């Protein structure tokens, strides 16, 4: 039966792509503006695509190099999966961003000509294409490889062993995520900080003013960082958690596996059902996401926040019901479903906590502390960031314990899949933010007037909250995906090393009483902190180049400040792009190098310890950075709503500093933590069969 | 033979106390000033003693309560040790601070009347009493209990089992450290931030100006926070590492223990030698410290930094030689000595790295980034703080691996003892800083003139560096001490649980593949971040009360700003004291509550995981906070040396903000991390025999 069912996920993926194309056609049918509007939009679109093309060139070189090494050392099926992963992830980012940079101007024009409802729909559709493409590309890729390698056995070898090869897919996605997310993050914040510091502070012109040479780059940054970057980040977690769960199903103890089925089945059938479940769930999740997206469209008459909530919660509820049916049909126990439920619930909790810390009382407290100056704004923001770590991490600890109690080691994996199953709509809502933000920028630059700007501001403010929730969600998802990959890593080391030394019942442990594991924990912790430092410095360096260039243009282009001459926006885009490409090399080397160095230099025990140490520090730092940054950003916005003196007051100046400090934290360093832990986890999983538990020289 | 040798450590301790008294008499023989000078000094002295007395009252209540519970649930020997620990730690802090608040004014007067050399000697002697008392009290306490419980068997039970009871000593020290260090930390920064924000920023009067009502409280804070608080912090690590090593020696596998001796000995004799070594090393360390202190006195003609370096490095070198002899005499292998050497070397590396990040190029980079405003100063400081974590943590990982390779599980413990053995002089140099700082404050408040102030500034600037190094050193020491206690915790759970279930070869592991251990890791991580948040908020709240009071006095006391009326300094001291006492309850409950909650609620596996998760996050956050804060502080000082525009420039204003942000990070939240991890580790160790590996409801 499963052999026939297994054809469904890739087909669902293709249907999802068709749905995305359908949404894309709807967007394109709307008015794309003309004259100045169209030319600004086109400038953003072309610059974004140029930067992506540049990233893709470098990604291609890296991918071919690594792919050859993978084919040689691991095997050709893994290499094939690796290329597929890189292609699917690149394509999802490209398609999503291409659409977003078409939807932004249409949103602005709709706000101008038809009012809020249509603008909301368009911005949300713009994000939906990204969401649907991420979900669909994952299904096409993983579903296709599952069919090829596991069901049809194209790669040779036993069914469950050939599952390993699918890991390559997540590894390919990880390379793309490194470039898209870290490179995009540096690009966007270099442009943002540079444009703000010179434009708003030195020249005294408003945000998004067309005279500022850095404004186009800033708007491009929103797309490459928050649309394509975020998409590749979520794509990596989405694929990583599914693939790791498949591997856990292939390698978990038979006793535990048998405890999860309701019928009398052969071992192979049990494993097959457990291996197939992640794909079944994400297929269902895609359908629910499409329905959710339609619900948002219908609900667009309500206020934007409610409309988006109806869509997400509706999709999640529907998914839980359908998942229950799917679990029953596959002959699996309700216990498995309970683990999925726990994961999905945990995702909602983490998102809500993020919403509180970046939108609730803590934000007003930071705003009020501006009475005693900048220093107290910064101190309070740091305190809020530190505190915001607590509940999400408690939630993750709860998910680990509870999902294990229900479904043993399979539990954590399938819970992570549960968090991410309705990625189609959660990602859509996430990507809605930058589209709305861009629409506002275009409205300002092309002087569409206060009324239009009010509409786009309203959409943007909702987008800020959804983006913050999305960030919290992405961190939780990345953490759980990494956790699942770490568990799969342990299973693979145990199985392959057991075979190598001829002991079928060999047990690989990561005992904290073992000094090698313990020092691994410390190595992981320092990797996370080092990554934070180098990404912050990268933004600082790139922003500095940007500042110099904007100053130069204000100085050298006569009539620029008076609005009589055009700025050289392209030069700014190029500087941001160069700065980002140059500076992502070090974080990329860290993420890829550490697993290789520790794995081959010290062994699998140290590497396992390192992954766990990095996991806790990455998740905690990512939450701290994202939420402190988000809280500072919104404290500034709160002051701008005429609190504590409003715009132009000393309180405003103090919170502007907070916002600037938070920018690289929340949009570069914080997100890069998700990538770091996921890249390290997937690379470790791929090299696991080559490792010995403890390197010879340490024994 | 050992039975006779064991009398030496407590005797050495008594001799150390005598040496401290001798140094105290030398200090007191110097001119204590008269008139205004004496009265200001007396005000600081009395206020500091009053705050300590208040802390001691609450400590007494807590200690009696906890002591009774310990006697009931664990046994009377542990309770006796617990009371001894609390008394020894309180006494060390009291004696050290009493002397420091006598030495500060004598340093100021000596600088005024006799010049730099004598002032340096006096400030250093002031710190030396703290250093010698910490070392001596530890030896008297642990040495005495070793003699009573283990050699004379007063507590009954077998020799190595009764070793457990000594844990109570470190537990007692931990309670005192919580109050002294966390309470002192909140006090000092509430006073500092409050006095600075109103005095320097709002009223525009210089630092340490006698018109500022908060200045006395600020100077008191230096003593209760940086002398008594730091002393109790180091005392806890010093005792914790010795005691945990004794317990590891008592519980480690016989095979490993046998591998560490050179002669043919009975099991009991081997264990005895290994158990006695920590005390032997710290006894030797005390002698070397006294010699080092004498060397600094002789070298005081050189520049201060060199004089202090001669003392510390001389003492360390001497210690390593003498330690080699002691190891040989006890019949132990050179491998044990190698572990001690690795620990001592690691301590030097961690200290040097701290010196670089808080005094080298990174500080100038932060200073230069003030050109683009406050935001870049903050961003750069955060980046420096994150980076500064890397080498120290790498060093700790290296110590773990290398010391284990040389001396198995005993290695990490004895390495930690090696880091702390010459605590007499390292602590002396640490406590020198606040004494010199206070001398400067007194000189300013009693208008001793520019010449005197230049001398005290010179001494103070060296003191800033030594204090920064001391902080790094304290973090490293706390981390290694906690690590040793965690290992001892595992051994004790294994042994007692094995006995309980009747399996002599029961093996307790903390396998990261076990979801319970893994969720423990996450719980530990969130505890560290939560502690950071609540201590920062505590400073914020207490500083706010202080600000209101200082503003009130400037407003309500006529003639205060003109220097015609006296401020009500006592009221400010009281407010800082109240604020600190009230706000240390939550961090104290967190530190004490988490091990009990997790240990009894989830079991020893979750608790072990929690300790490791907290360890990595506490050490990393402590380093981040201490070094970012130190770097900001010194960037401000660098600007004040006429760089980037000097005092009064926008660059100066930007770095003043950085300094204010860094204050609670480096002097409250950062240090509280040392306490948190050590308190949690020692409490876990004490309750270890009562725990089951996994709580019943989780199985």
């Amino acid at each position: 039966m499963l052999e026939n069912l297994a054809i469904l996920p890739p087909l669902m993926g293709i249907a999802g792509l068709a749905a995305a194309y359908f949404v894309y056609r709807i967007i394109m049918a709307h008015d794309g503006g003309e004259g100045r509007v169209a030319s600004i939009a086109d400038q953003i679109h072309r610059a974004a695509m140029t930067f992506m093309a540049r990233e893709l060139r470098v990604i291609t070189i890296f991918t071919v190099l690594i792919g050859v090494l993978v084919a040689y050392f691991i095997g050709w099926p893994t290499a094939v999966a690796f290329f597929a992963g890189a292609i699917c992830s690149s394509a999802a980012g490209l398609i999503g961003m291409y659409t977003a940079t078409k939807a932004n101007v249409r949103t602005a024009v709709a706000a101008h000509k038809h009012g809020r409802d249509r603008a909301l729909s368009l911005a949300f559709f713009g994000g939906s294409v990204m969401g649907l493409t991420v979900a669909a590309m994952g299904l096409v890729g993983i579903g296709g490889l599952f069919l090829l390698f596991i069901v049809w056995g194209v790669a040779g070898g036993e069914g469950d062993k050939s599952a390993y090869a699918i890991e390559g897919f997540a590894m390919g996605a990880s390379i793309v995520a490194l470039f898209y997310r870290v490179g995009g993050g540096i690009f966007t914040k270099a442009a943002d900080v540079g444009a703000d510091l010179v434009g708003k502070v030195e020249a005294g012109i408003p945000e998004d003013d067309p005279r500022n040479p850095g404004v186009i780059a800033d708007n491009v940054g929103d797309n490459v960082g928050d649309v394509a970057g975020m998409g590749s980040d979520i794509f990596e977690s989405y694929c990583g958690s599914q693939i790791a769960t498949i591997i856990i199903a292939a390698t978990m103890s038979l006793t535990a596996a048998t405890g999860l089925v309701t019928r009398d089945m052969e071992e192979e059938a049990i494993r097959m059902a457990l291996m197939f479940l992640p794909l079944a769930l994400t297929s269902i999740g895609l359908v629910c996401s499409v329905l959710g997206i339609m619900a948002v469209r219908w609900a667009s008459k309500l206020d934007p926040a409610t409309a988006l909530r109806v869509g997400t919660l509706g999709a999640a509820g529907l998914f839980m019901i359908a998942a229950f049916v799917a679990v029953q049909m596959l002959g699996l126990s309700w216990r498995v479903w309970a683990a999925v439920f726990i994961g999905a619930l945990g995702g909602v909790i983490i998102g809500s906590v993020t919403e509180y810390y970046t939108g609730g009382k803590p934000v007003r407290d930071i705003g009020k502390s501006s009475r005693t100056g900048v220093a107290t704004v910064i101190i309070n923001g740091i305190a809020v960031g530190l505190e915001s770590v607590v509940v999400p991490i408690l939630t993750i600890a709860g998910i680990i314990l509870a999902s294990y109690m229900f479904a043993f080691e399979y539990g954590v994996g399938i819970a992570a899949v549960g968090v991410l199953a309705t990625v189609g709509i959660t990602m859509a809502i996430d990507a809605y933010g930058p589209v709305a933000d861009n629409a506002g920028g275009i409205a300002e630059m092309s002087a569409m007037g206060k009324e239009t700007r009010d509409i786009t501001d309203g959409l943007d403010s909702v987008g800020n909250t959804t983006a913050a929730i999305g960030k919290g969600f992405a961190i939780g998802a990345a953490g759980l995906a990494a956790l699942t990959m770490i568990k799969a890593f342990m299973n693979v080391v145990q199985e392959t090393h057991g075979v190598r030394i001829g002991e079928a019942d060999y047990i690989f442990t990561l005992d904290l009483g073992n000094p090698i594991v313990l020092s691994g924990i410390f190595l992981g912790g320092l990797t996370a902190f080092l990554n934070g430092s180098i990404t912050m410095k990268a933004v600082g360096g790139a922003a500095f180049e940007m500042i110099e260039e904007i100053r130069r243009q204000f100085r050298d282009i006569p009539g620029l400040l008076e609005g009589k001459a055009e700025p050289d926006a392209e030069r700014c885009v190029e500087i941001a792009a160069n700065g980002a490409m140059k500076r992502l090399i070090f974080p990329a080397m860290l993420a890829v190098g550490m697993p290789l160095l520790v794995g081959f230099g010290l062994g699998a025990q140290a590497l396992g310890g390192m992954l766990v140490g990095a996991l806790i520090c990455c998740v905690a730092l990512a939450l701290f950075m994202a939420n402190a940054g988000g809280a500072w950003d919104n404290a500034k916005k709160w002051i701008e709503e005429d609190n504590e003196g409003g715009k132009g007051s000393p309180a405003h100046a103090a919170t502007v500093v907070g916002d600037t400090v938070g920018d690289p934290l929340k949009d570069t360093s914080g997100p890069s933590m998700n990538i770091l832990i996921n890249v390290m986890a997937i690379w470790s999983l791929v090299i696991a069969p080559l490792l010995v538990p403890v390197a010879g020289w340490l024994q």
Side-chain angles (χ1 to χ4, degrees), chain A:
Chain A
M1 184 189 85
L2 257 179
E3 283 66 21
N4 300 328
L5 274 179
I7 196 93
L8 281 178
L11 288 182
M12 293 295 304
I14 293 169
L17 287 175
Y21 181 72
F22 180 72
V23 177
Y24 169 75
R25 293 305 313 170
I26 295 180
I27 297 169
M28 293 307 286
H30 282 78
D31 184 357
E34 46 204 12
R36 181 154 181 81
V37 178
S39 106
I40 289 171
D42 193 51
Q43 230 180 332
I44 296 175
H45 174 74
R46 270 186 301 111
M49 297 311 287
T50 310
F51 179 63
M52 294 280 282
R54 215 167 137 178
E55 286 184 321
L56 281 173
R57 271 201 300 279
V58 187
I59 289 174
T60 308
I61 298 171
F62 265 75
T63 307
V64 170
L65 273 176
I66 296 169
V68 170
L69 290 175
V70 167
Y72 183 78
F73 286 104
I74 319 267
W76 68 263
T78 311
V80 167
F82 174 75
F83 287 119
I87 292 169
C88 285
S89 179
S90 307
L94 259 184
I95 294 172
M97 208 199 54
Y98 185 95
T99 313
T101 53
K102 292 289 176 188
N104 54 9
V105 60
R106 286 164 176 80
T107 303
V109 173
H112 190 52
K113 296 193 180 159
H114 306 278
R116 206 211 61 182
D117 296 358
R118 190 178 289 187
L120 170 64
S121 290
L122 273 170
F124 177 67
F125 279 165
S128 301
V129 172
M130 178 86 250
L132 291 175
T133 315
V134 161
M137 278 293 183
L139 276 176
V140 170
I142 306 177
L145 291 170
F146 189 89
L147 204 60
L148 280 176
F149 291 171
I150 297 176
V151 179
W152 296 345
V154 177
E158 292 167 56
D160 51 350
K161 281 301 173 307
S162 54
Y164 293 177
I166 303 184
E167 294 159 6
F169 189 81
M171 194 188 185
S174 83
I175 295 289
V176 177
L178 251 178
F179 279 80
Y180 277 19
R181 182 60 140 161
V182 182
I186 300 171
F187 182 113
T188 180
K189 286 304 120 173
D192 190 7
V193 173
D196 279 5
L197 278 182
V198 185
K200 285 204 279 192
V201 182
E202 292 182 14
I205 55 178
E207 185 149 359
D208 288 336
D209 191 289
R211 289 170 291 175
N212 191 330
V215 158
I216 295 284
D218 186 6
N219 278 280
V220 171
D222 288 345
N223 290 297
V224 299
D226 296 345
V227 179
M230 180 66 137
S232 66
D233 179 352
I234 294 276
F235 187 81
E236 190 189 6
S237 301
Y238 178 70
C239 298
S241 59
Q242 290 181 66
I243 291 170
T245 308
I246 292 173
I247 290 168
I248 291 176
T251 52
M252 70 189 291
S253 82
L254 183 59
T255 330
T258 313
L260 295 176
V261 292
T262 47
R263 309 183 198 134
D264 198 22
M265 294 197 248
E266 302 268 317
E267 175 177 354
E268 204 180 332
I270 296 174
R271 290 203 190 276
M272 259 303 201
L274 291 171
M275 285 162 79
F276 183 65
L277 183 62
L279 284 165
L281 291 179
T282 46
S283 300
I284 294 168
L286 178 56
V287 176
C288 296
S289 295
V290 172
L291 295 174
I293 288 169
M294 288 160 72
V296 174
R297 174 79 187 81
W298 290 323
S300 71
K301 297 262 177 264
L302 310 173
D303 77 295
T306 314
L308 298 181
R309 210 175 292 264
V310 165
T312 15
L313 293 184
L318 206 60
F319 167 73
M320 284 319 307
I321 297 169
F324 189 78
V325 177
V327 166
Q328 299 289 328
M329 280 178 55
L330 287 171
L332 298 172
S333 155
W334 64 273
R335 304 170 70 94
V336 174
W337 178 82
V340 176
F341 180 76
I342 286 161
L345 183 69
V348 173
I349 293 175
I350 295 173
S352 313
V353 170
T354 314
E355 188 176 0
Y356 170 72
Y357 281 106
T358 59
K361 188 173 165 295
V363 168
R364 291 190 296 278
D365 286 346
I366 295 175
K368 284 176 195 158
S369 72
S370 63
R371 288 175 205 166
T372 37
V374 185
T376 40
V377 168
I378 304 292
I379 291 177
N380 266 290
I382 294 176
V384 166
L386 291 170
E387 190 185 308
S388 75
V389 168
V390 176
V391 177
I393 293 208
L394 193 62
T395 307
I396 293 179
I399 293 176
I400 296 172
L401 275 185
S403 64
Y404 185 86
M405 287 177 82
F406 282 113
F408 317 117
E409 56 190 292
Y410 186 71
V412 176
I414 205 71
V417 173
V419 175
L420 287 153
T422 53
V423 74
I425 186 155
T426 44
M427 180 71 226
I429 285 174
D430 233 29
Y432 152 87
V435 175
D437 190 1
N438 251 253
I442 293 172
E444 176 78 26
M445 281 186 274
S446 52
M448 286 186 180
K450 189 174 176 311
E451 216 168 301
T452 308
R453 188 71 218 218
D454 279 349
I455 293 176
T456 58
D457 276 357
L459 299 181
D460 185 23
S461 115
V462 176
N464 266 320
T465 311
T466 60
I469 298 177
K471 246 169 229 155
F473 181 82
I475 297 166
L480 285 169
L483 205 59
T484 312
M485 289 190 262
I486 294 170
K487 183 64 202 162
F489 164 81
M490 292 185 64
N491 284 5
V492 171
V493 174
Q494 170 166 337
E495 194 153 317
T496 54
H497 192 71
V499 170
R500 202 183 304 145
I501 61 175
E503 286 183 23
D505 53 356
Y506 167 81
I507 290 180
F508 174 69
T509 59
L510 292 176
D511 181 14
L512 290 171
N514 178 341
I516 296 173
V517 178
L518 202 54
S519 54
I521 295 257
F522 280 84
L523 293 176
L526 77 85
T527 308
F529 278 79
L530 181 58
N531 180 58
S533 168
I534 56 183
T535 48
M536 296 222 23
K537 282 188 173 167
V539 174
F544 191 72
E545 292 169 7
M546 193 74 170
I547 288 172
E548 305 259 282
E549 171 62 18
I550 299 178
R551 281 181 183 157
R552 188 196 63 75
Q553 292 200 19
F554 276 134
R555 202 173 51 228
D556 294 356
I557 302 181
L560 177 56
L561 259 178
E562 294 75 37
K564 291 180 197 150
E566 289 287 312
D568 186 356
E570 268 175 44
R571 181 88 197 96
C572 287
V573 172
E574 208 179 302
I575 283 175
N578 283 339
M581 295 305 292
K582 197 164 64 189
R583 288 182 175 83
L584 72 72
I585 293 183
F586 194 16
M589 277 175 49
L590 184 73
V592 171
M594 283 301 285
L596 301 178
L597 211 65
V598 173
F600 292 111
L602 300 173
Q605 283 184 347
L607 181 53
M610 189 194 82
L611 291 176
V612 173
L615 176 62
I616 174 69
C617 289
C618 279
V619 171
L621 283 177
L623 288 164
F624 162 64
M625 291 172 162
N627 293 338
W632 275 317
D633 187 353
N634 283 328
K636 187 195 70 175
K637 294 217 165 76
W638 184 75
I639 299 278
E640 287 172 353
E641 289 160 9
D642 279 333
N643 292 300
E644 302 290 333
K647 269 197 179 175
S649 65
H652 188 233
T655 50
V656 166
V657 173
D659 182 34
T660 311
V661 170
D663 266 341
L665 287 175
K666 76 180 200 301
D667 292 321
T668 313
S669 295
S672 78
M673 296 290 168
N674 299 352
I675 307 297
L676 175 69
I677 184 60
N678 268 335
V679 170
M680 295 206 301
I682 186 66
W683 279 64
S684 302
L685 181 52
V686 171
I687 63 171
L690 305 177
L691 300 178
V692 292
V694 179
W697 70 273
L698 265 177
Q699 276 164 335

